[in-house]
Amino acid sequence: GYEKLKVQARRGSGPRPGEVSVTVRACGLNFADLMARQGLYERLPPPPVCPGMECAGTVRALGEGVRDRQVGDKVMVLARSGLWQEVVNVPASQTFPMPEGMSFEEAAALLVNYITAYMILFDFGNLRPNQSVLIHMAAGGVGTAAIQLCKTVENVTIFGTASASKHDSLKESGVAHPIDYRTMDYAEEVRKISPKGVDIVLDPLGGSDTSKAFNLLKPMGKVITYGVANLLTGQKKNLMAMAKTWWNQFSINALQLLHQNKAVCGYHLGYMDEEVELLRSVVAKLVNLYSQGKIKPKIDSVWPFDQVAEAMRQMQEKKNIGKVILVPEAPKEEPKKTEN
């Protein structure tokens, strides 16, 4: 539950060889962090654990052997966990220079969502002009990133599912056909507009929705599954939802794929941490797109660390349009006791 989240003071240490020490200014909150709190995210050490997969801040110290970073550099950081802190020590290879003009909040909103959306759409999806894409949870972090990236390709038709209150915002951002998944069967709605279906479906839901996605594909279409949001029904683990999602898990064999002319791909950024060069090349492309003004992280809200439960609730109840950000709270009284 939310009540298990607590801010603690710990004694800090310096960076080890190959690491940099970063003063954190903003952190990203991701769906995986919600799953981690419920014990549903397998890439996290056992509790008590400090979550956080992305943050942004300023380099304050260099470990031995670090040549490509300087004290004072503004950087974005990607890690498996542990970044929701005032100061973090991370391998220099997990830091990326922030582009000119980017705020710390934007930088904390870039890495996880935009790397995921980029690799799904372009590396797996092979998105090309005149294609159509269905984006679930279109107003969330990956959803907003995916919409912006679709707009970098000519004449892509975007279908997006989100609750009705978010439809105006989605239309403004480039979604041609917003669909209220709460009151409508989104598969039926897509078919009314595009009887043959769509070229690409981004599936963060899992369970029976992956089957629906597969059935909505045109010939040569691709479904990329990258999450199991259907497991999250309340603030604690729901065994019924787990059983139902597992029971409805999409399953297909190679021969069926051959007859259907469709592709099923799976993407999990948490298992890409060894692929340093690949990730670096994707981040370079994203920084380039940001500098050209083609993408810009959309910030929904910013919460201090001690309101992390409220920030998580905002996201879990799907109230956010864009990214939910956490920030270390400014010191309350001036001569701050030195913890580090």
Side-chain angles (χ1 to χ4, degrees):
Y2 298 122
E3 79 285 352
K4 298 291 183 194
L5 299 155
K6 291 183 175 59
V7 179
Q8 289 183 335
R10 286 199 195 149
R11 186 173 295 283
S13 59
R16 293 188 299 233
E19 289 187 337
V20 292
S21 187
V22 177
T23 302
V24 176
R25 298 286 301 277
C27 306
L29 174 61
N30 289 293
F31 229 80
D33 297 309
L34 305 184
M35 300 190 76
R37 197 193 70 246
Q38 296 194 8
L40 298 169
Y41 189 76
E42 75 290 355
R43 298 298 278 165
L44 207 63
V49 63
C50 173
M53 296 164 195
E54 60 187 337
C55 72
T58 309
V59 175
R60 57 186 273 161
L62 304 176
E64 197 183 315
V66 176
R67 302 273 175 271
D68 54 351
R69 295 286 175 267
Q70 302 294 322
V71 171
D73 282 356
K74 292 179 174 181
V75 292
M76 310 178 270
V77 184
L78 188 64
R80 200 181 288 180
S81 65
L83 296 183
W84 292 353
Q85 303 190 57
E86 289 181 322
V87 177
V88 293
N89 297 322
V90 290
S93 62
Q94 288 173 222
T95 66
F96 305 87
M98 281 169 55
E100 202 63 44
M102 181 180 264
S103 70
F104 287 113
E105 286 81 8
E106 284 180 333
L110 186 85
L111 292 179
V112 170
N113 294 159
Y114 282 81
I115 291 173
T116 298
Y118 188 95
M119 295 186 83
I120 285 174
L121 283 170
F122 297 114
D123 295 323
F124 270 147
N126 191 22
L127 179 64
R128 296 193 302 283
N130 307 315
Q131 290 191 321
S132 52
V133 181
L134 170 60
I135 301 171
H136 285 294
M137 295 165 64
V142 175
T144 33
I147 292 164
Q148 291 178 11
L149 288 166
C150 283
K151 301 297 287 176
T152 66
V153 179
E154 210 181 332
N155 198 27
V156 170
T157 304
I158 306 171
F159 295 82
T161 65
S163 51
S165 61
K166 301 177 182 179
H167 286 193
D168 287 346
S169 167
L170 288 182
K171 277 185 178 155
E172 274 167 41
S173 66
V175 176
H177 307 291
I179 301 168
D180 182 2
Y181 66 96
R182 293 181 180 180
T183 60
M184 295 168 169
D185 179 334
Y186 64 81
E188 272 178 30
E189 294 303 308
V190 170
R191 289 234 182 259
K192 278 180 199 166
I193 298 154
S194 176
K196 275 191 158 179
V198 294
D199 295 291
I200 300 170
V201 180
L202 277 59
D203 168 38
L205 304 173
S208 58
D209 285 289
T210 312
S211 311
K212 271 182 148 181
F214 187 77
N215 292 329
L216 267 178
L217 294 177
K218 291 179 179 176
M220 301 303 292
K222 303 166 195 75
V223 54
I224 300 102
T225 184
Y226 67 96
V228 202
N230 284 336
L231 290 179
L232 291 192
T233 55
Q235 65 161 307
K236 294 186 182 176
K237 191 187 290 187
N238 179 337
L239 295 176
M240 278 302 289
M242 289 174 74
K244 187 177 166 191
T245 304
W246 181 254
W247 179 253
N248 289 322
Q249 193 56 41
F250 179 66
S251 178
I252 192 164
N253 66 41
L255 203 58
Q256 289 169 296
L257 276 179
L258 188 136
H259 294 157
Q260 295 258 7
N261 288 305
K262 296 177 181 180
V264 181
C265 311
Y267 181 83
H268 193 316
L269 180 58
Y271 285 92
M272 295 288 252
D273 39 12
E274 303 296 309
E275 305 300 323
V276 179
E277 289 311 309
L278 179 57
L279 291 178
R280 201 157 282 290
S281 74
V282 174
V283 174
K285 289 170 191 159
L286 292 170
V287 165
N288 192 21
L289 287 170
Y290 177 87
S291 301
Q292 292 172 34
K294 290 184 176 173
I295 61 172
K296 186 175 174 66
K298 188 178 177 72
I299 309 300
D300 171 77
S301 50
V302 179
W303 307 76
F305 278 176
D306 58 8
Q307 288 179 27
V308 61
E310 286 80 1
M312 283 190 163
R313 186 178 277 114
Q314 172 88 351
M315 190 177 204
Q316 191 160 332
E317 293 176 2
K318 299 197 174 76
K319 290 178 179 165
N320 59 306
I321 296 179
K323 186 78 170 184
V324 179
I325 295 288
L326 299 172
V327 292
E329 206 165 12
K332 286 191 178 65
E333 65 276 307
E334 247 336 302
K336 191 169 183 251
K337 291 202 289 292
T338 49
E339 285 148 16
N340 299 339

